[in-house]
C-alpha cells in the first residue's frame, strides 16, 4: 500500500490553500492524503484532494479570561486525545502542519509518538501556533523565512509557499502593460475587514481621479454582502464598468487579467501575486497579531514588485495619486510585474513535497542537503 501523509491546517484559506497545493503534488506522486482540520474548513474541503478529512476539537487562545482559558485548555486536551487515537489508527508516514491553532493537537500527538513532523510557515514572521510547535518538529519549511534566522533557524529550509494548480496555470499568462488609451483592469480584494475598508475608500478615491482615467477603468472588486449594493450603485451612477461580489470563483485567472491589484498582504496573496507576476498596491491588515502582513508586503516591496501603504496613512487623495502615477507609467507597471514574478517560487509545492518524501522515507532533509553540497 502507498505511504500516507497527514496534513493539518487551520480552517481558513490562508492555511488550507498551501496544504491543498502540496496535497495535489503528493497525490501525483502516488501518496495517500488525509487532512485534519476544524469545522471552518468544510466550505473548502470539497476541493481538497484528500482521501479522508478528519475534524478534531481545537480552540484559539485569544483571551486571558480564566474561564475562557479553561475552556480552551479542555478543547485542546480533547483534540490531543482524539489526534493520538487518529494517528494510532491511520499510522501516517509523516505529519505536516500549515499553521493555525487546529494544528496543535495533531502535531503535538505526532511529536509525542516520534513520528516525522514538519511545519510550513507561510509568512515572513512565524505565527503563534507554529512558534509553539517549532521546537518540537523536525523541519520548518519557510515561505519567506530564511535558514539561520530566529531561535530555530537551524531547522528552516526555504521552499516558498505552494500555490494551487489554477495559480500555476494563470502564471502562463504574460503581463501586458496597458497603453495610454487602453482599458485599465483593476482588481481589488481583501478578507472581510479588507473588503469593508476598500469598499469605503475606493469610491472616494475614484472621485479624485482625472476623467480620462475614470473612463478607462474596468474594476473587479470584492465587497461584503452588506456593502455590495452601495458599491455597485456608486459605480453604476458614475458610469464606471465594474463587477462587484462578496466572492469570486477563479480568482487566479482574474489576477492574471489585471493590470494592477489592490489587496491585503496575506502570505497566500503575496505568493500568488509573485507567482503570476502582477504589480500591486498592498495595504497590510493593521491589526494582525504578529504584524505578519506588514512583513510579507515589505518582502515583495523590497524586490520592487509592489508598493506598500499603511492603512493609517492611506487617504482617497493619496491612493488616487498612486493609481494615477502607475496608470500613467506602463513601463513601471511592466517592471513591477517582472520583479514580482522574479520573486515567485512556482516550484514551491515540488520542493515541499521533496522534503515530505525524505521524511517519510526516514531520511533527514538536512543530511541530504549536505550530501548534495
Amino acid at each position: 500500500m502507498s505511504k500516507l501523509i497527514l496534513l493539518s491546517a487551520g480552517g481558513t484559506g490562508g492555511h488550507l490553500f498551501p496544504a491543498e497545493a502540496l496535497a495535489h503534488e503528493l497525490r501525483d506522486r502516488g501518496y495517500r492524503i488525509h487532512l485534519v482540520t476544524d469545522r471552518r474548513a468544510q466550505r473548502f474541503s470539497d476541493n481538497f484532494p484528500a482521501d479522508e478529512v478528519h475534524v478534531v476539537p481545537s480552540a484559539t487562545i485569544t483571551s486571558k479570561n480564566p474561564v475562557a482559558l479553561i475552556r480552551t485548555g479542555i478543547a485542546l486536551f480533547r483534540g490531543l486525545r482524539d489526534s493520538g487515537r487518529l494517528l494510532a489508527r491511520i499510522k501516517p508516514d509523516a505529519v505536516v502542519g500549515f499553521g493555525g491553532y487546529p494544528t496543535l493537537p495533531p502535531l503535538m500527538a505526532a511529536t509525542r509518538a516520534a513520528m516525522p513532523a514538519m511545519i510550513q510557515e507561510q509568512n515572513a514572521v512565524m505565527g503563534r501556533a507554529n512558534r509553539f510547535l517549532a521546537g518540537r518538529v523536525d523541519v520548518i519549511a519557510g515561505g519567506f523565512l530564511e535558514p539561520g534566522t530566529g531561535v530555530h533557524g537551524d531547522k528552516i529550509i526555504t521552499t516558498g509557499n505552494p500555490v494551487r494548480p489554477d495559480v500555476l496555470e494563470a502564471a502562463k499568462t504574460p503581463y501586458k502593460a496597458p497603453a495610454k488609451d487602453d482599458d485599465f483592469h483593476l482588481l481589488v480584494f481583501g478578507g472581510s475587514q479588507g473588503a469593508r475598508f476598500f469598499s469605503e475608500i475606493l469610491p472616494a478615491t475614484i472621485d479624485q481621479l482625472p476623467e480620462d482615467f475614470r473612463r478607462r477603468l474596468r474594476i473587479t472588486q470584492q465587497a461584503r454582502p452588506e456593502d455590495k449594493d452601495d458599491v455597485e450603485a456608486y459605480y453604476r451612477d458614475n458610469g464606471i464598468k465594474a463587477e462587484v461580489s462578496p466572492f469570486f470563483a477563479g480568482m487566479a485567472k482574474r489576477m492574471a487579467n489585471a493590470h494592477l491589484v489592490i489587496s491585503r498582504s496575506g502570505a497566500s496573496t503575496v505568493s500568488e501575486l509573485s507567482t503570476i507576476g502582477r504589480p500591486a498596491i498592498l495595504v497590510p491588515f493593521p491589526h494582525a497579531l504578529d504584524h505578519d502582513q506588514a512583513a510579507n508586503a515589505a518582502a515583495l516591496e523590497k524586490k520592487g514588485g509592489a508598493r506598500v501603504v499603511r492603512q493609517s496613512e492611506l487617504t482617497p487623495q493619496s491612493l488616487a495619486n498612486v493609481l494615477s502615477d502607475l496608470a500613467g507609467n506602463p513601463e513601471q507597471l511592466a517592471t513591477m510585474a517582472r520583479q514580482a514574478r522574479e520573486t515567485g517560487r512556482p516550484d514551491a509545492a515540488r520542493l515541499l513535497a521533496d522534503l515530505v518524501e525524505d521524511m517519510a522515507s526516514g531520511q533527514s532533509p538536512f543530511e541530504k542537503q549536505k550530501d548534495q553540497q
Side-chain angles (χ1 to χ4, degrees):
M1 184 177 291
S2 59
K3 291 184 177 181
L4 189 154
I5 307 300
L6 179 65
L7 306 182
S8 178
T12 64
H15 295 131
L16 280 166
F17 291 160
E20 179 187 333
L22 175 61
H24 280 290
E25 179 70 21
L26 289 172
R27 285 284 291 269
D28 289 344
R29 300 186 187 196
Y31 285 85
R32 292 177 293 141
I33 303 297
H34 284 212
L35 171 69
V36 59
T37 183
D38 63 21
R39 298 189 184 281
R40 295 175 299 167
Q42 291 177 342
R43 57 182 172 153
F44 300 107
S45 59
D46 288 345
N47 296 321
F48 201 100
D51 297 283
E52 292 187 38
V53 177
H54 311 277
V55 174
V56 300
S58 185
T60 301
I61 303 172
T62 58
S63 172
K64 295 181 180 180
N65 180 286
V67 175
L69 287 173
I70 291 172
R71 289 175 178 167
T72 298
I74 292 173
L76 290 173
F77 173 78
R78 289 174 176 168
L80 181 60
R81 178 197 61 196
D82 291 358
S83 295
R85 292 171 178 170
L86 173 66
L87 267 59
R89 177 170 63 85
I90 67 174
K91 296 179 174 57
D93 294 280
V95 181
V96 186
F98 285 84
Y101 281 99
T103 64
L104 292 181
L107 267 294
M108 290 175 65
T111 56
R112 285 176 60 178
M115 292 179 174
M118 174 171 68
I119 55 174
Q120 198 271 343
E121 174 55 58
Q122 297 95 47
N123 293 293
V125 294
M126 195 173 293
R128 295 187 177 193
N130 275 349
R131 285 206 304 270
F132 183 83
L133 294 167
R136 295 168 168 80
V137 298
D138 304 299
V139 180
I140 301 169
F144 296 99
L145 298 177
E146 296 290 340
T149 58
V151 177
H152 302 290
D154 59 331
K155 296 183 178 183
I156 296 173
I157 297 177
T158 304
T159 60
N161 287 319
V163 295
R164 293 168 294 167
D166 61 332
V167 176
L168 296 176
E169 184 64 28
K172 298 176 183 178
T173 303
Y175 183 76
K176 183 180 179 181
K180 184 177 180 181
D181 296 323
D182 287 348
D183 291 345
F184 190 93
H185 293 272
L186 179 66
L187 174 64
V188 184
F189 65 93
S192 175
Q193 296 299 318
R196 181 180 68 175
F197 174 72
F198 294 138
S199 293
E200 293 171 350
I201 198 169
L202 253 295
T205 296
I206 291 170
D207 284 340
Q208 308 296 321
L209 294 174
E211 180 61 30
D212 58 341
F213 183 27
R214 286 159 55 102
R215 287 197 301 269
R216 296 173 56 201
L217 279 174
R218 303 294 182 268
I219 298 175
T220 301
Q221 182 173 342
Q222 182 187 20
R224 300 184 307 167
E226 57 266 41
D227 298 327
K228 177 178 179 291
D229 289 346
D230 288 342
V231 175
E232 280 185 324
Y234 170 82
Y235 290 135
R236 182 176 60 252
D237 294 345
N238 286 273
I240 295 170
K241 294 183 179 180
E243 184 180 5
V244 182
S245 176
F247 175 79
F248 289 108
M251 183 58 83
K253 185 175 181 180
R254 293 174 186 275
M255 197 177 292
N257 291 335
H259 293 122
L260 180 66
V261 176
I262 300 176
S263 71
R264 293 299 198 194
S265 51
S268 292
T269 296
V270 173
S271 297
E272 291 172 4
L273 282 169
S274 57
T275 298
I276 296 172
R278 292 299 179 266
I281 299 171
L282 299 177
V283 186
F285 180 54
H287 307 299
L289 290 176
D290 302 299
H291 302 291
D292 51 351
Q293 290 207 7
N296 299 340
L300 188 56
E301 183 181 45
K302 183 179 179 180
K303 300 294 186 179
R307 290 195 185 182
V308 180
V309 186
R310 293 181 182 177
Q311 182 170 314
S312 61
E313 299 173 354
L314 197 62
T315 66
Q317 186 60 64
S318 66
L319 182 55
N321 291 342
V322 175
L323 277 172
S324 296
D325 176 51
L326 290 175
N329 194 337
E331 294 82 6
Q332 185 175 8
L333 285 172
T335 298
M336 290 174 68
R338 183 178 68 253
Q339 291 173 328
R341 189 178 180 87
E342 288 174 357
T343 69
R345 300 292 292 267
D347 59 347
R350 177 184 63 80
L351 295 174
L352 191 57
D354 289 346
L355 295 182
V356 176
E357 282 198 314
D358 290 341
M359 294 174 60
S361 301
Q363 182 177 6
S364 167
F366 300 102
E367 292 299 324
K368 183 177 179 180
Q369 282 188 336
K370 290 179 182 179
D371 294 341
Q372 293 174 343
Q373 290 176 351

